[in-house]
Every structure is written in C-alpha cells, then in structure tokens.
Amino acid sequence: MKQVELLAPAGGMDSLQAAIQAGCDAVYLGGEMFGARAFASNFDRQQIQEAIRYAHRYGVKVYVTMNTLIYDDEMEEAVQYARFLYTHDVDALLIQDIGLCDRIHQEMPDLELHASTQMHIHNAQGVETAKKLGISRVVVPRESTIEEIAAMTKYDVDIEAFVHGALCLCYSGQCLMSSTLLGRSGNRGECAQPCRMRYSLWEKGQNGDRRIETKGNYLLSPKDLFTLQELPSLLDSGIRSLKIEGRMKKPEYVAQVVSMYRKAIDAWASHHHFSISKQETDDLRQLFSRGFTDGYAFHAPGTAMMNPFRPNHQGILLGKVVSVSKQRIKIQLTENLHQGDGIRIIGKAEDEGCIVNRLYHNGKLVAAAHAGETVEIDHKIEACKGAQVRKTTNAELQNRIRQTYADARHVKVTVQVQVEAGKPLSCQITDEEGFHVEVQSEQAVQQAKNAPMKEEAFQTAFAQLGDTPFQLDTFQCTISGQCFMSVGQIKQVRRTAVAQLLSKREHRHPERRFAHYERSWHPATDPLKLFACVQSLEQYQACKEAGIANVLTTSRQLYNALYEKGETIAFHEGNIVKGKQEACMGGENGALSMGRQIVDATLNITNKAAAAFASAQGVQTIVLSLEHDMESIQQLCASFAKEGKCLPDLALMIYGYRDLMTSRTCLINTYCKDGRKQGCSLCRKHTYYLKDEKGRIFPFHNDECCNMRILHTCPDDHIEQMKQYQALGISSFYLRFTIESKEETKKILQRTQEQMDQ
C-alpha cells in the first residue's frame, strides 16, 4: 500500500517553509510563467532552485504548476521552462494543456507529470487519455463524489483530490466567465473571480419578469471546502494525495491547516480515532473561511455548499455594535479581543474592516478584553448600532502558530565513527531515507600521550548539527587504542559529511534523459465544412430544411426520438460525461480515448501539439478553444503551414451562446428550493436567468443530467468573418444552437449559407 501524501500550497518561500515544518509530504508552487495563479507572489528561477533544495533536505517533494493553456507562439518558451525545471530537480509538473504535456513527456521522459484539475479529467475515459500523455497522477475535479473518487482509484494512475480550501462553482478548465466578461482568463491563470460578485435570480413571465428573493446577492459564491471530519472516508477510498488549496494564503494559514491534516492522516494510518475540537475549528475560521462545507465529495446540497451572504473571509462572530459616537465604536463582545486583531463590521451594503490598534475598556487603554465585556475602538470604519462584528485576524493565534513551526522538523541520522591511531578518522552517516555518505579526515588520528579521548567527546562533536535539518538519532563509535584528535578536526569531518549528505538529499534525480518530440497529424481530406448542434426539434427541423448534412445534439431524449424515426442525427456527449456511451462528438479529454470523430471547443485545444495529439488519436475534426482570438488562430494555422503539409480539419464555432459556467450545483434548485434534489424540473417548467449589477442578463440552459449551464448574455457571432478564417486555413465551421427559436435558427442558417455561397 502506497503512503498517502499530504500536499500543501506554497505561494512564497515563507509559506513553503511553514508547510514543510508543519509536516507536509509535498508542496506545489507556481513559477514565473504558465501557472494558474498569475497574481500570487510565485517564485522566480533562483527562488525555485532554493525552494527545491530546501524541500529536498527534509524529504519533501516539489511540484511546479504549469497548468494554463499554451498558445502556439508560447510553446517553445514553455518547453524551455520545463527543461529548466527538469534539470534543476523538480519532482513533477502539474499540466493543463495536452499539447504541452505530450511534448514534455516525449522530450523529458523521466519527468513525472500530473494532470491538473484544469485538465478536466473526471471519468475512466479521461484517465485513459492521461495515461497516453504519460501522466502518472490525476487531480480529480472538486465536483467528484466519494463514490466517483473511489472508482477512479481503481485505474493505473494515482488520484489526488482537494480536501481543504476554496471551491470553484464551475468545473475547472470549463469556466469562460472571467475571460469573457472581464478579459482575464481562468484558463490562463488570471481569473478575476466573477463568481464572487453580486447577481440576482429572475424568472421570466408573460406578464413581466419576477425577481426571486434570495437571502444574499452573491449567488455564485461557494463556501470553503473542509473535510477534516470526513478524512477517514477519503483515505479509505484509495486516494494517493490529499491537496490543500491556498497559494494566495498566509504562512500561518498554511501551517495550521497542514498541521491539522497531518495529525488526522497519522491517526488514520495508526488506526486511531481523530476528532477536531470547536476551538480548533474556530482557529481555522479566524485564519480564513467563507464558511465551511464538506463539499461534493459528501453530497453537500446546494444550500450547504453556497454562501450568498458574503464572498470574503468571514472569521468568527465577535459581538455586536452597541453604539456609535463621533470618536468611538462600542462593541459587546462574545469572544476575546486583543490589540492587533483584525475585525470586520457587517454593513447593510459593504463590509468594512480594520486592525484594532487601540482598545478601550471602561475608558482606559487595554491590551485585551474578554467575552462578555463591552469595549470601544476608534471610529475609523463605518458602523451602525446592532451591526454584527466578526473577528477576521487573531494576532495571538498567528504568533502561536509561528512559534510551532519554527525549525520543528528534523531528519534523523545514524553516525558511525571508527577511530584508530595512525589512520584517518572514518565517519559514515546514514539518514532515515537511506542516503549514505562516508568521509575520512585529512589528518591521521594521533596516539594519545596523556588522557585518551573517550566516545563521549566524539559524540558531542558529531551531535552539534546546528542549523542543518539533521538530528542525531544513533551514534556508534569504535575506538582502537589510545587515540587523540583535535575537536576542530573532528568537527571538520562532521561538516564535510553533512555537506555531502545534504547534497545527496537536495539532488534526487541526477541522471535524467532527454529525447525528441515526434507527433504527426492527419491532413484534412474530407472536412465537414459546416455542422450544427441543436437542442430542440424545431432547431433540428430548421437545419434539415436548410440542407445541413451534419447535425448533432447533446440531448439524449431528442437523439433517441429522432433516431427511432429514422432521421439522420448524431450524438454529442458534451463536456460532462458519466459512463460510456456511443457518440460522434465529445467535449472533454475522454473523447480522445473513445474514438470520437469530432471534439468540441471545451477540450481547449490552443496549439499545434494539442491538435496533433488529438489527430493522432483518430479525431477528424477539431473545434478550437473559445479562448482563441483572430491573432492566435493565425499563429496556429501558420505553425501548421510551416510543416509543409496540409492542415488537419480545424473548425471554429462561428455562432452560438457559449457556456460561461458548467456546474454540478443548480442555482435554480438551490435558491428556489433547498438544493437537495436533482431532477426537480424547475428549469424546464420555467425560464430563469441571472442578472449582474450592470444589468446584463445570463440565461440558464441546464442539461438533462442537471448540470447547470450559464450562457453568455449574447451569442458569439463570427459568421461575417468566415472568409477571413478560411484564408487562414480553417476548413470547417460549427453552429451551436441552444435557446434559439426555429425562426431565429433559420435566420442564422440563412446568413451562414450566404457567406458560404460568396
């Protein structure tokens, strides 16, 4: 049985050190490019080398995130960066882009590769694709249930799952909301978190639309994942690695979360019961919390998953505002409060927070006050009588945590020393992982003239391991005869041996190979030219009347009905696939192992290597990612053309509402009912939409499996640019119909045909 790994986030060197000293087995961090947390502090090249050396000293692995989509003009730079990491002993890379993954696997065959959750692998078919890419570990989506996770551990890859931290509402790798609305792509590491913004829920009606009353306005904002209480079930499922989210969090947060999960894992491994106290939970809440949920893994319903009240750190309840004067805010405390603590006063509109620099009790400055007392603070933020006050930073807690992880971790070593007059002092050091060095002194041991040295003198010298990670566990000394050696010479032997042992621990992959990338594609010999996906019988009829030969649908009900009538229709399995089924088109990585002829834009192909890999798996038509623009498409087509042979059948969605989000949580069910039941049919009985603060409307288009799909406020429409795209090398065009009426569908088809006839 493989040991379960505790994987911790490191947004900077302080957090990395905190995670390691708190007991993690591995850390993941972002470099200066191609990471999904572009706005974290991250590590430059020198810092990454330092981080790897530091982690390896303690036997901790380092995984670097390169989990963004790569455009074709970035590919060589990305590969060179991977080469740098490869040569500087990184243990593994987390990858999203299948083209980059394929290249790294072929060119750096000894490098361990992990499929980032951004790669959107959520089924057995996706695991098969991952294996073809040389991936040895898959990070499953946060949307996975405990049953689904257990099923995926049966395949020949390690499974890694998130157990603590921020949740995304959308399936990772499938969110286009930030890039579409705010120009910052989540798939490019720049997510602006539109899910943490205000929205309202509306129901369409013949006599006017009705706003649905909700208890808050942050309708897309989930609570934070917290599975500590349920950890034995996760561990029993066969998970290889437990992942903590938090590369944007402070070192104290990282240390405390790692420490608590370390205790829980160790208790499980030794078959002991583990429980967490209210105080420990409150400590976590004060470090960072939007409220806690045990998540999809344990079937938390929508109401238990979402926090529509506030999208930010909530801390714990501290008390309430009793009165407000021009100079002071008076607060009745339900928890202790210290100078230096951070508080947040919950207002009717916006919350305001501050650090309590001066604290008054009975008119006098005090360093601390206790629950039940009434205190005053300076009036430097907005407050009103009766407002709730929350403690969001606990200075005393943070100081206590910092003390717990300062040099808390050591590597045990066994030292064997042979001492014989006339011969060099011989020293062998072996650490707990089996790394071993042998060192001899430059000078020979002398014959003692007076009092010979005893074993205690040598042990004292070798036990002084100081600022190294080592701790003397066992000391064995063999002394032959009456011997003497200066303490300085003994310590020099110790320093040399320790330096050599450190070097061995720091450089764990000394012999890595390089190879060449080879991947070809199938040139387009019979491109589709024009094809459409429909959701209704009326849309299908409009396509057939317009003479569209290739029509697909993601609706199993519509497909079955048309197939039984002998109509020509193909099935598109979409981007959320549960179980195996016959289909012509797919939208996720499993499609590359299932013989799909067409892959959709949701597969996120943005470069030649990714397209070539898809083509090599038998894909005939590749719909390019919606993350493309005209410039990147031009670069991609030009890169193919340089090879001197025909391009594959590259396609673009020239018309259609894009899914901004695809989620397992249905907001309609959550806010109109209680979120507990799938298949409530509300989305089919009525028409709903979201509205943001700018008044933009985002329709819902939920699928038959109750996945919530939030559509863009308006469709992508590039019909008039078809000739331009054809000139670049695009050979096929894709029409995606979702909420259009038959008449609207006809108009789109007519415009498309006019462009093709020119």
Side-chain angles (χ1 to χ4, degrees):
M1 180 179 176
K2 291 183 178 179
Q3 181 182 350
V4 175
E5 174 187 272
L6 179 57
L7 177 58
M13 198 64 187
D14 289 345
S15 293
L16 179 135
Q17 292 171 346
I20 291 172
Q21 294 301 325
C24 72
D25 300 301
V27 294
Y28 66 102
L29 56 90
E32 56 194 354
M33 57 184 71
F34 308 117
R37 288 290 184 269
F39 300 107
S41 56
N42 292 322
F43 291 73
D44 62 27
R45 296 192 178 211
Q46 182 176 347
Q47 289 169 334
I48 281 183
Q49 293 177 65
E50 180 185 350
I52 293 171
R53 289 194 298 268
Y54 180 86
H56 282 182
R57 289 172 201 161
Y58 292 94
V60 172
K61 293 182 177 181
V62 176
Y63 309 145
V64 174
T65 60
M66 293 185 69
N67 52 342
T68 62
L69 296 180
I70 308 296
Y71 290 121
D72 212 73
D73 64 333
E74 300 170 325
M75 181 59 75
E76 294 308 320
E77 184 179 18
V79 172
Q80 289 303 316
Y81 185 59
R83 280 177 171 262
F84 162 77
L85 297 170
Y86 189 55
T87 56
H88 286 91
D89 222 39
V90 72
D91 295 284
L93 296 182
L94 284 92
I95 308 288
Q96 173 185 10
D97 190 280
I98 61 174
L100 178 63
C101 193
D102 191 33
R103 281 204 57 175
I104 292 175
H105 175 56
Q106 290 196 48
E107 296 186 31
M108 297 161 239
D110 298 324
L111 181 55
E112 187 174 324
L113 299 177
H114 298 173
S116 165
T117 186
Q118 289 288 116
M119 196 178 276
H120 184 52
I121 293 176
H122 59 279
N123 54 33
Q125 302 92 290
V127 171
E128 288 301 313
T129 300
K131 290 163 66 175
K132 292 178 182 179
L133 288 163
I135 288 168
S136 59
R137 179 184 295 184
V138 169
V139 186
V140 296
R142 294 169 176 88
E143 294 80 9
S144 304
T145 66
I146 186 70
E147 294 84 3
E148 291 167 346
I149 291 171
M152 292 185 73
T153 63
K154 307 304 181 187
Y155 299 98
D156 191 23
V157 295
D158 289 339
I159 295 298
E160 176 179 308
F162 283 93
V163 294
H164 195 97
L167 284 170
C168 292
L169 182 62
C170 182
Y171 276 94
S172 298
Q174 301 299 295
C175 186
L176 296 173
M177 202 164 197
S178 181
S179 61
T180 302
L181 302 183
L182 301 166
R184 284 170 47 179
S185 169
N187 282 317
R188 300 277 290 162
E190 300 173 339
C191 182
Q193 295 194 307
C195 53
R196 306 295 183 187
M197 298 177 182
R198 287 192 178 97
Y199 299 90
S200 54
L201 179 60
W202 292 75
E203 178 189 326
K204 275 187 173 291
Q206 293 181 347
N207 300 319
D209 296 353
R210 176 179 71 91
R211 179 171 179 171
I212 296 170
E213 292 299 321
T214 55
K215 293 182 179 179
N217 297 320
Y218 297 94
L219 303 185
L220 302 180
S221 183
K223 297 176 182 177
D224 289 340
L225 184 62
F226 176 47
T227 66
L228 200 57
Q229 309 265 33
E230 305 287 349
L231 210 61
S233 297
L234 281 169
L235 292 165
D236 289 341
S237 74
I239 288 176
R240 171 72 177 90
S241 179
L242 304 180
K243 187 170 190 173
I244 296 167
E245 182 276 337
R247 282 196 285 141
M248 305 286 280
K249 303 295 196 302
K250 294 180 179 178
E252 294 84 0
Y253 169 92
V254 173
Q256 182 71 0
V257 176
V258 168
S259 175
M260 295 180 75
Y261 279 84
R262 176 78 274 156
K263 292 175 185 176
I265 293 170
D266 291 347
W268 172 82
S270 59
H271 306 289
H272 292 151
H273 175 69
F274 174 83
S275 62
I276 180 172
S277 68
K278 180 182 180 300
Q279 183 57 57
E280 289 173 315
T281 303
D282 283 348
D283 287 349
L284 289 179
R285 291 184 188 279
Q286 291 176 84
L287 290 164
F288 193 91
S289 166
R290 299 182 179 92
F292 287 138
T293 174
D294 52 15
Y296 293 97
F298 299 99
H299 309 282
T303 48
M305 178 84 68
M306 306 301 292
N307 178 9
F309 302 100
R310 294 293 186 276
N312 46 21
H313 173 38
Q314 293 301 290
I316 62 171
L317 182 64
L318 177 67
K320 69 176 182 178
V321 175
V322 176
S323 63
V324 181
S325 68
K326 189 174 182 179
Q327 288 79 29
R328 306 269 176 85
I329 300 171
K330 185 177 288 187
I331 301 171
Q332 176 73 41
L333 297 179
T334 56
E335 292 283 342
N336 297 341
L337 180 65
H338 294 77
Q339 280 185 314
D341 287 350
I343 67 168
R344 183 181 296 274
I345 296 179
I346 308 300
K348 292 182 179 179
E350 292 291 338
D351 306 345
E352 288 202 48
C354 68
I355 299 296
V356 178
N357 294 318
R358 289 188 288 188
L359 181 63
Y360 305 89
H361 183 233
N362 294 330
K364 297 181 179 179
L365 279 171
V366 294
H370 302 286
E373 296 179 342
T374 300
V375 298
E376 293 179 302
I377 64 171
D378 292 336
H379 188 178
K380 55 184 178 180
I381 57 175
E382 288 298 316
C384 61
K385 183 178 179 180
Q388 185 184 103
V389 185
R390 303 190 71 85
K391 181 159 66 171
T392 55
T393 305
N394 185 326
E396 185 181 54
L397 171 64
Q398 291 190 337
N399 288 333
R400 187 172 78 241
I401 293 171
R402 281 192 288 269
Q403 292 171 7
T404 63
Y405 68 77
D407 297 323
R409 187 165 181 167
H410 297 93
V411 178
K412 293 181 180 180
V413 295
T414 295
V415 177
Q416 296 175 301
V417 177
Q418 289 82 40
V419 187
E420 184 177 350
K423 294 183 178 180
L425 176 71
S426 176
C427 166
Q428 300 179 45
I429 301 183
T430 306
D431 68 25
E432 58 193 33
E433 291 184 70
F435 286 99
H436 177 80
V437 296
E438 297 183 24
V439 173
Q440 291 186 337
S441 62
E442 294 182 0
Q443 293 84 23
V445 177
Q446 298 176 24
Q447 184 74 33
K449 296 180 180 178
N450 298 311
M453 296 183 72
K454 296 184 179 181
E455 179 178 333
E456 290 77 7
F458 291 97
Q459 182 169 349
T460 299
F462 277 98
Q464 295 174 1
L465 295 169
D467 58 356
T468 75
F470 301 121
Q471 183 180 67
L472 183 62
D473 182 50
T474 304
F475 184 80
Q476 299 173 357
C477 185
T478 302
I479 302 176
S480 300
Q482 306 292 306
C483 300
F484 173 79
M485 177 172 268
S486 72
V487 172
Q489 290 175 327
I490 298 172
K491 288 183 177 181
Q492 181 58 49
V493 172
R494 183 203 70 214
R495 285 192 290 267
T496 301
V498 165
Q500 290 184 13
L501 187 59
L502 276 176
S503 180
K504 281 193 173 185
R505 292 184 64 84
E506 291 173 357
H507 303 92
R508 292 172 176 248
H509 310 286
E511 297 179 359
R512 283 178 159 173
R513 300 166 297 160
F514 287 94
H516 297 287
Y517 168 75
E518 293 183 7
R519 182 70 70 186
S520 60
W521 63 89
H522 300 295
T525 55
D526 187 22
L528 285 180
K529 294 185 179 177
L530 184 65
F531 60 107
C533 184
V534 300
Q535 296 298 314
S536 70
L537 178 60
E538 291 75 17
Q539 293 167 353
Y540 173 78
Q541 290 170 340
C543 288
K544 298 308 288 184
E545 290 168 10
I548 305 297
N550 299 292
V551 183
L552 306 99
T553 182
T554 57
S555 168
R556 175 59 71 177
Q557 183 178 2
L558 178 61
Y559 173 79
N560 289 339
L562 290 170
Y563 184 80
E564 288 176 5
K565 292 180 180 180
E567 296 283 348
T568 304
I569 185 75
F571 189 64
H572 179 357
E573 64 185 351
N575 63 334
I576 310 297
V577 180
K578 305 295 182 182
K580 293 183 179 181
Q581 55 193 344
E582 292 300 319
C584 175
M585 185 173 180
E588 45 85 55
N589 280 289
L592 301 179
S593 294
M594 291 295 290
R596 305 302 180 230
Q597 297 171 305
I598 312 167
V599 291
D600 209 340
T602 49
L603 188 56
N604 279 325
I605 289 181
T606 55
N607 56 69
K608 182 177 66 177
F613 180 81
S615 178
Q617 310 314 308
V619 175
Q620 297 174 20
T621 301
I622 299 166
V623 183
L624 297 177
S625 172
L626 295 180
E627 296 279 10
H628 275 293
D629 58 19
M630 179 71 80
E631 182 180 357
S632 63
I633 291 171
Q634 183 177 17
Q635 292 168 348
L636 174 59
C637 292
S639 181
F640 271 111
K642 285 181 182 178
E643 299 289 331
K645 61 179 181 179
C646 293
L647 278 63
D649 185 13
L650 301 180
L652 287 179
M653 187 181 86
I654 54 162
Y655 174 84
Y657 284 89
R658 60 173 62 189
D659 292 339
L660 295 182
M661 280 192 178
T662 304
S663 177
R664 197 165 187 162
T665 294
C666 176
L667 297 186
I668 300 169
N669 185 282
T670 296
Y671 296 117
C672 294
K673 287 195 173 183
D674 60 4
R676 292 181 180 275
K677 183 181 178 183
Q678 282 193 320
C680 68
S681 300
L682 277 177
C683 60
R684 283 174 279 281
K685 293 176 181 176
H686 307 283
T687 302
Y688 298 88
Y689 60 85
L690 284 180
K691 184 186 289 187
D692 69 5
E693 290 187 291
K694 295 181 179 180
R696 293 178 294 190
I697 289 173
F698 305 99
F700 288 103
H701 184 66
N702 292 12
D703 62 29
E704 293 170 335
C705 297
C706 284
N707 292 304
M708 179 190 70
R709 297 178 184 274
I710 302 174
L711 302 182
H712 189 20
T713 185
C714 58
D716 289 17
D717 191 337
H718 306 297
I719 295 173
E720 271 64 42
Q721 286 80 48
M722 287 177 66
K723 293 299 181 184
Q724 291 176 259
Y725 288 121
Q726 282 180 321
L728 296 178
I730 302 299
S731 48
S732 294
F733 298 96
Y734 174 43
L735 302 168
R736 181 178 190 247
F737 297 110
T738 49
I739 59 175
E740 294 85 356
S741 66
K742 184 174 182 179
E743 290 306 313
E744 290 170 330
T745 304
K746 283 183 175 181
K747 290 178 182 179
I748 297 303
L749 291 167
Q750 183 178 355
R751 286 177 51 215
T752 305
Q753 198 62 56
E754 289 171 355
Q755 286 295 315
M756 295 192 73
D757 291 341
Q758 289 181 6

